[in-house]
Amino acid sequence: MMIVMKPGASAEEIDHVIDRIVSVGARAHVSKGDEVTLIGAIGDREHVQRLELEGVAGVAQVVPILKPYKLSSAQMGGGERSVFEIGGRRIGGEHFAMIAGPCTVESREQVLETAEAVKNAGAAMFRGGAYKPRTSPYAFQGLGQAGLRLLAEAKEIHGMPIVTELMDVRDLDAVLEVADVVQIGARNMQNYTLLSEIGRSGCPVLLKRGLSATLEELLMAAEYILKEGNEKVMLCERGIRTFETAYRFTLDLMAVPVLRQLSHLPVVVDPSHAAGRRDLVLPLSLAAAAAGADGIIVEVHPNPEEAICDGPQALRADEFADYAAAVERAAAVAGKAFTHA
Ligand code: PEP
Ligand code: MN
């Protein structure tokens, strides 16, 4: 249930409603807008209904949230889009974030060179994996802690917020020391204990859609994080499995406007993993930005031919500025501007 408070509701009236919700074993999730305060009562619907909050002082309306996901629902956003500030960069609303960097951290030179190139071209955040989810257990699994240290150095030198993947809860503390955004990869979208743990950490999350996950399953996964009190969840469409074999995955661009209808959370698109091929990355990025995505996460490498992982889909670092400028123009079509430091 969602309790919509009257525009001038006092702090005491809001606290009273929260106390009543908590008294029946439900959680109260408060979202203070410019005009009104919304209180999500998350728990047993019948218990909350029995409180008859409609008649309580300061309450304008009690609305059932019909979707199985509550905190991530558009209704919970009260009709407004969430805007997150991460290391001085904004994402959501009118703010478009370009997140760029290599698939995996390979060496100091590779990380620093890529970070410099993407920063100079207007990227808002730097991506790079130290822990890599590889299909083959024999493939390079990432540099681990040594990789995290290189990301920390890139952040120190270039001042960009870091987006990096967490696969195992045992690495949480090490990842949190460096990450400004923790990426939960497609293969872990339904790793519920990992989601709850990252929810408790409070660190912003980029949650990738599973290879065969529905949008409702994605939003339910986001709910696991939000439920722990972590409000900063970005949803990421990265291509899904379909019958088509002409490309690696099918980028579900319809997910962009539909997720923006269903949820207040920012929507990011990953064209690199969907395509698996460099030549498709620009057209997919333009389409995503024009469709209203709040950001793009894209792979870039100084020398893709020598990349340890995902080289064929990586944009060349020296071509990244032209790419970013084109995406910036497409984002403008959807009324969004690139966010910078
Ligand atoms: C990645 O971002 O490098 C990655 C492995 O992505 P995904 O989880 O979407 O496959
Ligand atoms: Mn990759």
mmCIF file of all heavy atoms in Angstrom, residues 249-282:
data_model
loop_
_atom_site.group_PDB
_atom_site.id
_atom_site.type_symbol
_atom_site.label_atom_id
_atom_site.label_comp_id
_atom_site.label_asym_id
_atom_site.label_seq_id
_atom_site.Cartn_x
_atom_site.Cartn_y
_atom_site.Cartn_z
ATOM 1 N N PHE A 249 23.507 -11.406 -28.650
ATOM 2 C CA PHE A 249 22.250 -11.350 -27.913
ATOM 3 C C PHE A 249 21.336 -10.387 -28.660
ATOM 4 O O PHE A 249 21.775 -9.688 -29.571
ATOM 5 C CB PHE A 249 22.461 -10.818 -26.489
ATOM 6 C CG PHE A 249 23.215 -11.768 -25.594
ATOM 7 C CD1 PHE A 249 24.577 -11.601 -25.389
ATOM 8 C CD2 PHE A 249 22.584 -12.813 -24.944
ATOM 9 C CE1 PHE A 249 25.290 -12.463 -24.562
ATOM 10 C CE2 PHE A 249 23.277 -13.680 -24.116
ATOM 11 C CZ PHE A 249 24.632 -13.505 -23.932
ATOM 12 N N THR A 250 20.083 -10.338 -28.273
ATOM 13 C CA THR A 250 19.158 -9.373 -28.865
ATOM 14 C C THR A 250 19.003 -8.219 -27.882
ATOM 15 O O THR A 250 18.573 -8.435 -26.744
ATOM 16 C CB THR A 250 17.786 -10.040 -29.112
ATOM 17 O OG1 THR A 250 17.977 -11.133 -30.014
ATOM 18 C CG2 THR A 250 16.799 -9.049 -29.706
ATOM 19 N N LEU A 251 19.397 -7.023 -28.305
ATOM 20 C CA LEU A 251 19.247 -5.871 -27.402
ATOM 21 C C LEU A 251 17.774 -5.500 -27.370
ATOM 22 O O LEU A 251 17.200 -5.141 -28.397
ATOM 23 C CB LEU A 251 20.093 -4.685 -27.884
ATOM 24 C CG LEU A 251 20.087 -3.487 -26.927
ATOM 25 C CD1 LEU A 251 20.736 -3.838 -25.583
ATOM 26 C CD2 LEU A 251 20.814 -2.292 -27.532
ATOM 27 N N ASP A 252 17.179 -5.621 -26.216
ATOM 28 C CA ASP A 252 15.746 -5.353 -26.084
ATOM 29 C C ASP A 252 15.538 -3.867 -25.795
ATOM 30 O O ASP A 252 15.444 -3.450 -24.639
ATOM 31 C CB ASP A 252 15.186 -6.227 -24.954
ATOM 32 C CG ASP A 252 13.706 -5.989 -24.729
ATOM 33 O OD1 ASP A 252 13.062 -5.350 -25.594
ATOM 34 O OD2 ASP A 252 13.193 -6.442 -23.690
ATOM 35 N N LEU A 253 15.481 -3.096 -26.877
ATOM 36 C CA LEU A 253 15.357 -1.646 -26.681
ATOM 37 C C LEU A 253 13.975 -1.248 -26.200
ATOM 38 O O LEU A 253 13.798 -0.175 -25.633
ATOM 39 C CB LEU A 253 15.708 -0.903 -27.972
ATOM 40 C CG LEU A 253 17.208 -0.709 -28.181
ATOM 41 C CD1 LEU A 253 17.470 0.016 -29.475
ATOM 42 C CD2 LEU A 253 17.829 0.051 -27.009
ATOM 43 N N MET A 254 13.007 -2.108 -26.423
ATOM 44 C CA MET A 254 11.659 -1.816 -25.923
ATOM 45 C C MET A 254 11.672 -1.763 -24.397
ATOM 46 O O MET A 254 10.838 -1.127 -23.773
ATOM 47 C CB MET A 254 10.701 -2.908 -26.391
ATOM 48 C CG MET A 254 9.271 -2.450 -26.363
ATOM 49 S SD MET A 254 8.524 -2.612 -27.952
ATOM 50 C CE MET A 254 8.388 -4.372 -28.076
ATOM 51 N N ALA A 255 12.658 -2.446 -23.820
ATOM 52 C CA ALA A 255 12.766 -2.424 -22.353
ATOM 53 C C ALA A 255 12.976 -0.992 -21.837
ATOM 54 O O ALA A 255 12.618 -0.690 -20.702
ATOM 55 C CB ALA A 255 13.918 -3.311 -21.896
ATOM 56 N N VAL A 256 13.573 -0.121 -22.670
ATOM 57 C CA VAL A 256 13.883 1.226 -22.182
ATOM 58 C C VAL A 256 12.592 1.999 -21.864
ATOM 59 O O VAL A 256 12.361 2.368 -20.704
ATOM 60 C CB VAL A 256 14.807 1.993 -23.156
ATOM 61 C CG1 VAL A 256 15.017 3.424 -22.697
ATOM 62 C CG2 VAL A 256 16.142 1.264 -23.289
ATOM 63 N N PRO A 257 11.721 2.221 -22.861
ATOM 64 C CA PRO A 257 10.496 2.948 -22.498
ATOM 65 C C PRO A 257 9.593 2.175 -21.539
ATOM 66 O O PRO A 257 8.943 2.785 -20.688
ATOM 67 C CB PRO A 257 9.800 3.189 -23.846
ATOM 68 C CG PRO A 257 10.408 2.220 -24.796
ATOM 69 C CD PRO A 257 11.807 1.973 -24.301
ATOM 70 N N VAL A 258 9.592 0.852 -21.656
ATOM 71 C CA VAL A 258 8.689 0.090 -20.780
ATOM 72 C C VAL A 258 9.178 0.126 -19.326
ATOM 73 O O VAL A 258 8.391 0.370 -18.409
ATOM 74 C CB VAL A 258 8.495 -1.356 -21.295
ATOM 75 C CG1 VAL A 258 7.704 -2.191 -20.311
ATOM 76 C CG2 VAL A 258 7.778 -1.335 -22.647
ATOM 77 N N LEU A 259 10.477 -0.035 -19.116
ATOM 78 C CA LEU A 259 10.982 0.066 -17.733
ATOM 79 C C LEU A 259 10.741 1.462 -17.179
ATOM 80 O O LEU A 259 10.451 1.633 -16.000
ATOM 81 C CB LEU A 259 12.479 -0.253 -17.671
ATOM 82 C CG LEU A 259 12.856 -1.727 -17.733
ATOM 83 C CD1 LEU A 259 14.371 -1.894 -17.829
ATOM 84 C CD2 LEU A 259 12.314 -2.498 -16.515
ATOM 85 N N ARG A 260 10.839 2.461 -18.053
ATOM 86 C CA ARG A 260 10.600 3.828 -17.582
ATOM 87 C C ARG A 260 9.127 4.069 -17.255
ATOM 88 O O ARG A 260 8.809 4.972 -16.486
ATOM 89 C CB ARG A 260 11.135 4.847 -18.599
ATOM 90 C CG ARG A 260 12.689 4.903 -18.587
ATOM 91 C CD ARG A 260 13.222 5.742 -19.719
ATOM 92 N NE ARG A 260 12.617 7.054 -19.768
ATOM 93 C CZ ARG A 260 13.080 8.133 -19.142
ATOM 94 N NH1 ARG A 260 14.190 8.056 -18.433
ATOM 95 N NH2 ARG A 260 12.448 9.287 -19.232
ATOM 96 N N GLN A 261 8.259 3.256 -17.823
ATOM 97 C CA GLN A 261 6.851 3.344 -17.418
ATOM 98 C C GLN A 261 6.611 2.592 -16.108
ATOM 99 O O GLN A 261 5.838 3.012 -15.264
ATOM 100 C CB GLN A 261 5.947 2.730 -18.492
ATOM 101 C CG GLN A 261 5.705 3.642 -19.670
ATOM 102 C CD GLN A 261 5.098 2.895 -20.851
ATOM 103 O OE1 GLN A 261 4.686 1.744 -20.746
ATOM 104 N NE2 GLN A 261 5.051 3.561 -21.987
ATOM 105 N N LEU A 262 7.273 1.449 -15.979
ATOM 106 C CA LEU A 262 7.000 0.589 -14.823
ATOM 107 C C LEU A 262 7.707 1.061 -13.554
ATOM 108 O O LEU A 262 7.266 0.765 -12.457
ATOM 109 C CB LEU A 262 7.445 -0.851 -15.122
ATOM 110 C CG LEU A 262 6.736 -1.573 -16.275
ATOM 111 C CD1 LEU A 262 7.345 -2.952 -16.497
ATOM 112 C CD2 LEU A 262 5.243 -1.689 -15.986
ATOM 113 N N SER A 263 8.835 1.764 -13.734
ATOM 114 C CA SER A 263 9.703 2.054 -12.588
ATOM 115 C C SER A 263 10.238 3.480 -12.625
ATOM 116 O O SER A 263 10.392 4.059 -13.700
ATOM 117 C CB SER A 263 10.877 1.068 -12.603
ATOM 118 O OG SER A 263 11.798 1.383 -11.592
ATOM 119 N N HIS A 264 10.565 3.996 -11.458
ATOM 120 C CA HIS A 264 11.174 5.328 -11.364
ATOM 121 C C HIS A 264 12.696 5.252 -11.445
ATOM 122 O O HIS A 264 13.385 6.276 -11.478
ATOM 123 C CB HIS A 264 10.780 5.992 -10.039
ATOM 124 C CG HIS A 264 11.169 5.187 -8.825
ATOM 125 N ND1 HIS A 264 12.357 5.359 -8.179
ATOM 126 C CD2 HIS A 264 10.539 4.177 -8.177
ATOM 127 C CE1 HIS A 264 12.442 4.493 -7.164
ATOM 128 N NE2 HIS A 264 11.342 3.756 -7.149
ATOM 129 N N LEU A 265 13.251 4.037 -11.461
ATOM 130 C CA LEU A 265 14.716 3.874 -11.412
ATOM 131 C C LEU A 265 15.355 4.203 -12.770
ATOM 132 O O LEU A 265 14.751 3.947 -13.818
ATOM 133 C CB LEU A 265 15.056 2.431 -11.031
ATOM 134 C CG LEU A 265 14.546 1.981 -9.650
ATOM 135 C CD1 LEU A 265 14.751 0.480 -9.479
ATOM 136 C CD2 LEU A 265 15.238 2.756 -8.527
ATOM 137 N N PRO A 266 16.578 4.734 -12.761
ATOM 138 C CA PRO A 266 17.264 5.010 -14.031
ATOM 139 C C PRO A 266 17.496 3.724 -14.832
ATOM 140 O O PRO A 266 17.702 2.658 -14.257
ATOM 141 C CB PRO A 266 18.608 5.613 -13.605
ATOM 142 C CG PRO A 266 18.405 6.083 -12.208
ATOM 143 C CD PRO A 266 17.377 5.179 -11.596
ATOM 144 N N VAL A 267 17.470 3.877 -16.147
ATOM 145 C CA VAL A 267 17.655 2.731 -17.045
ATOM 146 C C VAL A 267 18.922 2.963 -17.881
ATOM 147 O O VAL A 267 19.054 3.985 -18.549
ATOM 148 C CB VAL A 267 16.438 2.568 -17.986
ATOM 149 C CG1 VAL A 267 16.665 1.399 -18.947
ATOM 150 C CG2 VAL A 267 15.161 2.359 -17.182
ATOM 151 N N VAL A 268 19.822 1.995 -17.802
ATOM 152 C CA VAL A 268 21.098 2.079 -18.524
ATOM 153 C C VAL A 268 21.102 0.979 -19.578
ATOM 154 O O VAL A 268 20.536 -0.091 -19.363
ATOM 155 C CB VAL A 268 22.274 1.873 -17.519
ATOM 156 C CG1 VAL A 268 23.610 1.785 -18.235
ATOM 157 C CG2 VAL A 268 22.283 3.000 -16.493
ATOM 158 N N VAL A 269 21.745 1.244 -20.711
ATOM 159 C CA VAL A 269 21.834 0.220 -21.761
ATOM 160 C C VAL A 269 23.301 -0.138 -22.004
ATOM 161 O O VAL A 269 24.168 0.740 -22.042
ATOM 162 C CB VAL A 269 21.161 0.712 -23.062
ATOM 163 C CG1 VAL A 269 21.473 -0.227 -24.227
ATOM 164 C CG2 VAL A 269 19.644 0.826 -22.863
ATOM 165 N N ASP A 270 23.551 -1.434 -22.142
ATOM 166 C CA ASP A 270 24.887 -1.942 -22.469
ATOM 167 C C ASP A 270 24.842 -2.494 -23.893
ATOM 168 O O ASP A 270 24.379 -3.609 -24.120
ATOM 169 C CB ASP A 270 25.251 -3.046 -21.460
ATOM 170 C CG ASP A 270 26.577 -3.745 -21.787
ATOM 171 O OD1 ASP A 270 27.090 -3.577 -22.916
ATOM 172 O OD2 ASP A 270 27.084 -4.464 -20.918
ATOM 173 N N PRO A 271 25.320 -1.714 -24.869
ATOM 174 C CA PRO A 271 25.285 -2.187 -26.249
ATOM 175 C C PRO A 271 26.402 -3.195 -26.523
ATOM 176 O O PRO A 271 26.283 -4.018 -27.436
ATOM 177 C CB PRO A 271 25.500 -0.907 -27.060
ATOM 178 C CG PRO A 271 26.302 -0.026 -26.157
ATOM 179 C CD PRO A 271 25.885 -0.354 -24.758
ATOM 180 N N SER A 272 27.490 -3.160 -25.740
ATOM 181 C CA SER A 272 28.673 -3.976 -26.042
ATOM 182 C C SER A 272 28.383 -5.464 -25.894
ATOM 183 O O SER A 272 28.697 -6.258 -26.781
ATOM 184 C CB SER A 272 29.833 -3.600 -25.112
ATOM 185 O OG SER A 272 30.080 -2.217 -25.162
ATOM 186 N N HIS A 273 27.807 -5.841 -24.743
ATOM 187 C CA HIS A 273 27.577 -7.268 -24.498
ATOM 188 C C HIS A 273 26.431 -7.803 -25.337
ATOM 189 O O HIS A 273 26.397 -8.986 -25.664
ATOM 190 C CB HIS A 273 27.377 -7.532 -23.007
ATOM 191 C CG HIS A 273 28.656 -7.340 -22.265
ATOM 192 N ND1 HIS A 273 29.023 -6.125 -21.762
ATOM 193 C CD2 HIS A 273 29.696 -8.181 -22.034
ATOM 194 C CE1 HIS A 273 30.228 -6.231 -21.215
ATOM 195 N NE2 HIS A 273 30.662 -7.467 -21.367
ATOM 196 N N ALA A 274 25.487 -6.925 -25.675
ATOM 197 C CA ALA A 274 24.402 -7.365 -26.550
ATOM 198 C C ALA A 274 24.972 -7.706 -27.918
ATOM 199 O O ALA A 274 24.721 -8.780 -28.471
ATOM 200 C CB ALA A 274 23.354 -6.264 -26.669
ATOM 201 N N ALA A 275 25.781 -6.812 -28.460
ATOM 202 C CA ALA A 275 26.254 -6.946 -29.836
ATOM 203 C C ALA A 275 27.344 -7.998 -29.976
ATOM 204 O O ALA A 275 27.313 -8.823 -30.894
ATOM 205 C CB ALA A 275 26.785 -5.605 -30.322
ATOM 206 N N GLY A 276 28.319 -7.929 -29.085
ATOM 207 C CA GLY A 276 29.481 -8.801 -29.230
ATOM 208 C C GLY A 276 30.373 -8.379 -30.389
ATOM 209 O O GLY A 276 31.363 -9.031 -30.690
ATOM 210 N N ARG A 277 29.996 -7.276 -31.047
ATOM 211 C CA ARG A 277 30.729 -6.789 -32.231
ATOM 212 C C ARG A 277 30.798 -5.266 -32.196
ATOM 213 O O ARG A 277 29.782 -4.599 -31.998
ATOM 214 C CB ARG A 277 29.928 -7.143 -33.491
ATOM 215 C CG ARG A 277 30.230 -8.466 -34.079
ATOM 216 C CD ARG A 277 29.180 -8.866 -35.076
ATOM 217 N NE ARG A 277 28.827 -7.822 -36.044
ATOM 218 C CZ ARG A 277 27.818 -7.940 -36.913
ATOM 219 N NH1 ARG A 277 27.080 -9.039 -36.930
ATOM 220 N NH2 ARG A 277 27.556 -6.991 -37.761
ATOM 221 N N ARG A 278 31.999 -4.757 -32.436
ATOM 222 C CA ARG A 278 32.234 -3.311 -32.369
ATOM 223 C C ARG A 278 31.328 -2.513 -33.310
ATOM 224 O O ARG A 278 30.812 -1.466 -32.956
ATOM 225 C CB ARG A 278 33.699 -3.044 -32.700
ATOM 226 C CG ARG A 278 34.152 -1.613 -32.603
ATOM 227 C CD ARG A 278 35.652 -1.522 -32.873
ATOM 228 N NE ARG A 278 36.373 -2.471 -32.050
ATOM 229 C CZ ARG A 278 37.079 -3.501 -32.525
ATOM 230 N NH1 ARG A 278 37.226 -3.674 -33.807
ATOM 231 N NH2 ARG A 278 37.676 -4.332 -31.709
ATOM 232 N N ASP A 279 31.120 -3.019 -34.538
ATOM 233 C CA ASP A 279 30.401 -2.205 -35.538
ATOM 234 C C ASP A 279 28.944 -1.954 -35.164
ATOM 235 O O ASP A 279 28.315 -1.039 -35.693
ATOM 236 C CB ASP A 279 30.485 -2.865 -36.924
ATOM 237 C CG ASP A 279 29.854 -4.247 -36.947
ATOM 238 O OD1 ASP A 279 29.980 -4.981 -35.946
ATOM 239 O OD2 ASP A 279 29.214 -4.594 -37.951
ATOM 240 N N LEU A 280 28.404 -2.750 -34.263
ATOM 241 C CA LEU A 280 26.999 -2.548 -33.883
ATOM 242 C C LEU A 280 26.844 -1.602 -32.691
ATOM 243 O O LEU A 280 25.739 -1.189 -32.360
ATOM 244 C CB LEU A 280 26.357 -3.897 -33.525
ATOM 245 C CG LEU A 280 26.324 -4.949 -34.631
ATOM 246 C CD1 LEU A 280 25.670 -6.236 -34.121
ATOM 247 C CD2 LEU A 280 25.565 -4.423 -35.844
ATOM 248 N N VAL A 281 27.951 -1.307 -32.042
ATOM 249 C CA VAL A 281 27.857 -0.567 -30.778
ATOM 250 C C VAL A 281 27.328 0.865 -30.982
ATOM 251 O O VAL A 281 26.474 1.327 -30.222
ATOM 252 C CB VAL A 281 29.224 -0.577 -30.044
ATOM 253 C CG1 VAL A 281 29.224 0.377 -28.858
ATOM 254 C CG2 VAL A 281 29.542 -1.997 -29.568
ATOM 255 N N LEU A 282 27.812 1.542 -32.029
ATOM 256 C CA LEU A 282 27.333 2.916 -32.244
ATOM 257 C C LEU A 282 25.835 2.970 -32.576
ATOM 258 O O LEU A 282 25.095 3.683 -31.895
ATOM 259 C CB LEU A 282 28.171 3.629 -33.319
ATOM 260 C CG LEU A 282 27.648 5.038 -33.677
ATOM 261 C CD1 LEU A 282 27.741 5.984 -32.477
ATOM 262 C CD2 LEU A 282 28.399 5.626 -34.870
#
